Amino acid sequence: MKQILLISAVGSDRPGVTSAITQVLGRYQAAILDIGQAVIHDSLTLGLLVGVDTANVSQQQLLDELQAATAALGINIRFTPIDHDNYQQWVEQQGKARYIVTLLAREVTAGQIADLTQVTVKHGLNIDNINRLSGRISLDGADRKTSACVEFSVRGEPADREALRADFMELSTLHEVDIAFQKDTVYRRNRRLVCFDMDSTLIEAEVIDELAKAAGVGQQVAEITELAMRGELDFNESFARRMALLKGLDERVLAEIAEHLPITEGAEKLIASLKKLGYKTAILSGGFQYFGEYLQKKLGIDYVYANTLDIVDGKVTGEVKGEVVNGERKAALLKMLAEREGITTEQTIAVGDGANDLPMLGAAGLGIAFRAKPLVKASAEQAISTLGLDAILYLMGFRERDQIV
């Protein structure tokens, strides 16, 4: 009959520990039922759940051999016998739903984790694994644009998803962090297309406001833009009103504005990493094609769909050519690009900040409200407000070492 043992090995991380332990176990044809390892600041914790035939070796003999094999490596070995019924209950847990909780911050603190884990307990979720996805952070304070990410793999099914989401949002506000809650599915690291809004997402500006300043109507246009972004004014109506105010603007100002567009923190790193990993990227914007194509060349983006300014005799007419790219059009374009790439919408990611981005965020497999207005942040499935765009890679499950630095 097999005895089930949980073997815990703790000590300094060095080569040969796993080899030494498994060589001993191999001599007794031990079955490895589970295995896991963590290394924190050169300190190793290795766990193995094994099944060993009691006819071949006693528990004490096996312990003695393992201790002898690892003594020179500075490893302490401990055994915990596991009851067969207890093991079977553990096996039956495999069918339970699994989720990923991602904590994003400039710096992770014990208080943040304490409150986050209290929420998981409150909603009946059990933590299986905890991983740091971000790189190690210097303590010298020289770089204030640090990014920190800890990922929790949890098991169970929350009774009230909306209540859980509300609790996480409350913690996000309290600690000035972002907390994402995603179902752990095969699609999480198998998405192939990422679609971005442009204004106030890929760039830290609203291009139409910059054009309005050049036309001398900056205040009027900015007020209309703000109403639209908050969802208090229909996009098509607001767009038409703003465009009319630009009538007569000289087209020569477009190039100057494009050259001075501020790229959002993390955008260049994100796009470079996505390209390296084989993802397609797109700009789906209610802004203007001219500026989208400028960013396309600068960042290496695959597709651009935006509004084309109508220009006659070198002057903006106050209208656009063709169909206006509004919220519904963005969602339709995302679906069209997914079909073109031969993927499902579940394999797409959409990122935006305004109310007109909500249809696109809802259509994507992963919709992310980035530094968004309250209405958009509350409505989107996920939100990032504290870090740069490259934090999206953490939500996709990529570690810092997988990214372009």
Side-chain angles (χ1 to χ4, degrees):
M1 179 179 178
K2 284 187 180 294
Q3 57 181 334
I4 302 174
L5 301 171
L6 175 61
I7 302 173
S8 301
V10 179
S12 297
D13 180 37
R14 62 183 65 187
V17 175
T18 305
S19 176
I21 292 172
T22 53
Q23 283 186 42
V24 173
L25 295 172
R27 290 200 292 270
Y28 298 102
Q29 293 80 49
I32 304 297
L33 305 176
D34 196 12
I35 184 170
Q37 176 179 299
V39 177
I40 299 178
H41 200 63
D42 296 328
S43 179
L44 167 75
T45 301
L46 171 65
L48 301 96
L49 190 65
V50 303
V52 183
D53 195 327
T54 53
N56 294 333
V57 63
S58 70
Q59 181 177 322
Q60 187 59 51
Q61 180 185 348
L62 184 60
L63 178 59
D64 290 343
E65 290 192 34
L66 286 170
Q67 288 176 332
T70 58
L73 297 171
I75 298 296
N76 294 317
I77 300 290
R78 183 166 59 88
F79 273 13
T80 304
I82 303 297
D83 180 83
H84 281 71
D85 290 339
N86 180 275
Y87 173 75
Q88 189 57 37
Q89 290 175 5
W90 176 78
V91 170
E92 292 169 358
Q93 294 289 314
Q94 293 180 112
K96 281 199 172 185
R98 293 181 181 275
Y99 294 88
I100 299 294
V101 181
T102 310
L103 172 64
L104 301 167
R106 293 295 179 186
E107 179 184 52
V108 173
T109 68
Q112 295 163 5
I113 292 179
D115 288 348
L116 185 152
T117 51
Q118 281 186 340
V119 169
T120 61
V121 170
K122 173 183 173 181
H123 290 274
L125 300 173
N126 185 64
I127 298 172
D128 283 337
N129 292 292
I130 303 175
N131 292 298
R132 172 178 53 84
L133 301 188
S134 51
R136 296 173 181 174
I137 298 174
S138 172
L139 297 179
D140 61 14
D143 185 2
R144 297 186 179 277
K145 289 293 185 181
T146 57
S147 297
C149 175
V150 177
E151 178 184 275
F152 302 79
S153 175
V154 301
R155 176 170 25 93
E157 190 65 65
D160 188 335
R161 288 281 299 272
E162 287 305 311
L164 173 64
R165 175 178 162 79
D167 285 346
F168 279 149
M169 287 192 70
E170 183 178 344
L171 287 187
S172 294
T173 302
L174 175 65
H175 290 291
E176 295 185 347
V177 300
D178 294 313
I179 301 172
F181 182 73
Q182 306 176 64
K183 195 168 184 66
D184 192 6
T185 71
V186 68
Y187 291 114
R188 184 163 176 253
R189 292 188 62 159
N190 192 35
R191 295 187 168 105
R192 309 310 310 157
L193 171 67
V194 186
C195 298
F196 300 92
D197 174 45
M198 181 171 64
D199 299 62
S200 297
T201 300
L202 275 180
I203 56 174
E204 295 180 331
E206 290 289 329
V207 169
I208 198 166
D209 290 350
E210 300 305 310
L211 293 173
K213 291 175 187 176
V217 290
Q219 185 61 36
Q220 299 97 303
V221 168
E223 290 173 359
I224 299 171
T225 299
E226 184 64 21
L227 290 173
M229 295 300 290
R230 293 202 305 260
E232 298 175 14
L233 187 63
D234 173 75
F235 177 81
N236 285 6
E237 179 185 349
S238 71
F239 187 68
R241 286 168 56 181
R242 288 178 289 176
M243 283 301 303
L245 291 169
L246 299 180
K247 185 176 180 179
L249 178 66
D250 194 309
E251 70 171 331
R252 288 177 296 185
V253 305
L254 303 185
E256 183 179 351
I257 290 173
E259 290 173 4
H260 293 89
L261 290 176
I263 305 298
T264 298
E265 175 195 355
E268 292 170 299
K269 178 181 175 182
L270 171 61
I271 301 298
S273 295
L274 291 173
K275 287 174 68 69
K276 172 192 173 186
L277 296 166
Y279 287 73
K280 294 290 186 179
T281 55
I283 291 175
L284 306 181
S285 174
F288 302 109
Q289 188 76 13
Y290 179 94
F291 301 95
E293 290 177 356
Y294 178 87
L295 290 173
Q296 181 180 33
K297 293 175 184 177
K298 185 178 180 70
L299 300 176
I301 289 170
D302 296 293
Y303 301 104
V304 176
Y305 291 90
N307 297 301
T308 301
L309 282 167
D310 184 44
I311 298 175
V312 176
D313 297 329
K315 302 292 184 181
V316 173
T317 67
E319 298 180 356
V320 295
K321 297 178 180 178
E323 184 178 356
V324 172
V325 180
N326 57 17
E328 291 68 30
R329 178 67 175 152
K330 288 185 179 186
L333 287 167
L334 179 143
K335 294 173 184 176
M336 180 271 288
L337 288 174
E339 185 175 349
R340 178 182 296 182
E341 292 295 328
I343 61 175
T344 68
T345 53
E346 189 64 37
Q347 292 175 278
T348 66
I349 298 172
V351 189
D353 71 300
N356 66 316
D357 293 312
L358 285 173
M360 175 176 73
L361 302 186
L366 175 61
I368 303 169
F370 180 74
R371 297 181 181 176
K373 302 297 185 291
L375 169 68
V376 182
K377 187 174 181 179
S379 301
E381 190 70 18
Q382 309 298 343
I384 295 176
S385 299
T386 59
L387 302 183
L389 275 173
D390 52 326
I392 291 169
L393 292 163
Y394 294 136
L395 296 193
M396 298 165 70
F398 291 110
R399 295 177 179 272
E400 184 75 24
R401 62 173 177 261
D402 300 321
Q403 306 169 22
I404 296 290
V405 180

